[in-house]
Amino acid sequence: MKGYFFKRLIAMIITLWLIITGTFFLMHSVPGSPFNEERTTNEAIQKNLEAYYQLDKPLIVQYGNYLKALVKFDLGPSIKKSSQTVNDMLGRGFPVSFELGMYTLIVALISGLILGVVAALRHNGIIDYLAMSIAVLGISIPNFVMATVLIQQLAVNLPIFPVATWSSPKHMVLPILALATGPMAIIARLTRTSMLEVLTQDYIKTAKAKGLSPVKIVFKHALRNALLPVVTVLGSLAASILTGTFVIEKIFAIPGMGKYFVDSINNRDYPVIMGTTVFYSAILIFMLLLVDIAYGVLDPRIKLHKKEAK
């Protein structure tokens, strides 16, 4: 286990370095400068600003300086908000984005599993068709379109929920629903397909022959093995949820990282773009490691196969 973890740690560091390098050089390859839209036309002032933020140095020197600062967990100052650092922005915005993302993942996982299990147990029935119709709609409609529909129907036409901010549980409902529909649909379809396959296995027939209750058969024997495909996609689903929060946060005026990230792209605020990219990439890479660990928890045979191969 130690050897496996060490190899994965090295792979994670290399992956993160490649993301940092690619983002850095692609970002600087776009023509223009963060100070192009400044109201002043004085070239001397713009040169002084570029010198202050070290943008006048060769690109490879800027890259080296950024890596040195990154090792010290210093993401640098914001160019457009000179009184703030990227670390300060992450400290304020990420807890809100994390809360939104975790609530969304929990809602998507629970509702998707319920839909998938019910559809599999009522295979080719009305409930099965209804559940899969909901899943198809969830996959087909982008979250920003879903957000618009939810606002129109549940905040304007029927003033049940407030539209914006993140100050109470009622404010959380619409953005969580808008984000959760897509992942919920994917989890539901995967769970249904996997459950249908598992329910035909011999050990399920044996459990039925022993007289075990349907609830025990489903939740203790079938669902555990049916979860493996779901766990496989959890890493990518978490990635889509976390990156999807940027758009949803902007729509619902949620004070998370989405506001800073979208504004940084519009303003070409290099440190904020790099900081949010590095931070979220590190989180997503770590979550993929957790998915691999979850394999061993759900199916101990994965560990046994590795030992036998040695």
Side-chain angles (χ1 to χ4, degrees):
M1 178 60 73
K2 291 181 180 179
Y4 171 76
F5 183 78
F6 180 75
K7 290 178 181 178
R8 284 304 306 268
L9 182 62
I10 297 298
M12 288 166 62
I13 293 173
I14 293 174
T15 303
L16 187 59
W17 172 72
L18 291 173
I19 292 172
I20 294 169
T21 304
T23 304
F24 185 89
F25 286 102
L26 283 173
M27 182 178 61
H28 283 83
S29 66
V30 178
S33 161
F35 309 111
N36 283 354
E37 296 181 359
E38 294 292 332
R39 293 182 180 179
T40 178
T41 57
N42 192 320
E43 290 188 11
I45 294 178
Q46 291 199 15
K47 288 181 179 179
N48 287 337
L49 287 171
E50 290 177 356
Y52 177 79
Y53 290 103
Q54 300 183 354
L55 297 178
D56 60 334
K57 295 183 178 180
L59 194 57
I60 192 66
V61 175
Q62 295 182 46
Y63 174 68
N65 291 338
Y66 185 79
L67 290 181
K68 290 178 184 177
L70 194 60
V71 172
K72 302 175 184 177
F73 299 100
D74 180 10
L75 298 173
S78 169
I79 292 177
K80 293 297 181 179
K81 299 180 180 180
S82 56
S83 62
Q84 302 180 39
T85 66
V86 181
N87 294 62
D88 294 335
M89 292 180 175
L90 286 172
R92 286 194 305 271
F94 178 69
V96 178
S97 296
F98 181 79
E99 188 178 18
L100 172 59
M102 286 300 99
Y103 284 152
T104 299
L105 191 59
I106 291 170
V107 169
L109 186 60
I110 293 175
S111 56
L113 288 175
I114 292 174
L115 276 177
V117 170
V118 171
L121 295 177
R122 298 291 185 267
H123 182 48
N124 287 335
I126 296 177
I127 296 178
D128 182 18
Y129 295 139
L130 179 61
M132 288 304 99
S133 298
I134 295 173
V136 170
L137 286 175
I139 294 174
S140 305
I141 303 175
N143 56 30
F144 59 88
V145 175
M146 181 62 70
T148 306
V149 173
L150 290 174
I151 290 172
Q152 181 64 38
Q153 298 301 324
L154 300 180
V156 178
N157 294 344
L158 296 174
I160 300 174
F161 300 105
V163 177
T165 71
W166 189 256
S167 55
S168 71
K170 288 188 72 174
H171 289 83
M172 302 177 183
V173 173
L174 293 185
I176 289 174
L177 287 178
L179 267 177
T181 49
M184 175 206 68
I186 295 172
I187 292 172
R189 290 177 66 86
L190 279 175
T191 303
R192 174 184 178 274
T193 302
S194 186
M195 279 290 293
L196 288 175
E197 182 179 352
V198 169
L199 289 174
T200 61
Q201 299 297 315
D202 291 337
Y203 67 89
I204 298 296
K205 297 177 181 177
T206 302
K208 291 179 180 179
K210 288 182 178 180
L212 295 180
S213 65
V215 174
K216 194 171 185 179
I217 292 173
V218 170
F219 289 98
K220 185 176 181 180
H221 298 283
L223 186 58
R224 180 171 180 173
N225 291 319
L227 281 177
L228 283 174
V230 176
V231 171
T232 304
V233 301
L234 275 183
S236 59
L237 282 181
S240 65
I241 289 173
L242 285 175
T243 53
T245 60
F246 293 161
V247 178
I248 296 300
E249 286 173 16
K250 194 71 175 177
I251 293 174
F252 288 96
I254 297 173
M257 281 307 301
K259 175 180 64 174
Y260 298 119
F261 187 69
V262 173
D263 290 344
S264 69
I265 294 175
N266 294 331
N267 297 326
R268 297 175 63 89
D269 195 338
Y270 293 156
V272 179
I273 295 173
M274 286 299 302
T276 51
T277 301
V278 171
F279 186 73
Y280 276 92
S281 297
I283 291 176
L284 297 178
I285 291 171
F286 178 71
M287 292 183 73
L288 291 177
L289 175 64
L290 294 182
V291 168
D292 288 345
I293 294 174
Y295 281 151
V297 174
L298 289 172
D299 192 353
R301 292 174 299 176
I302 295 175
K303 298 177 183 178
L304 292 174
H305 289 324
K306 288 185 177 180
K307 290 180 180 178
E308 290 171 2
K310 293 179 180 178

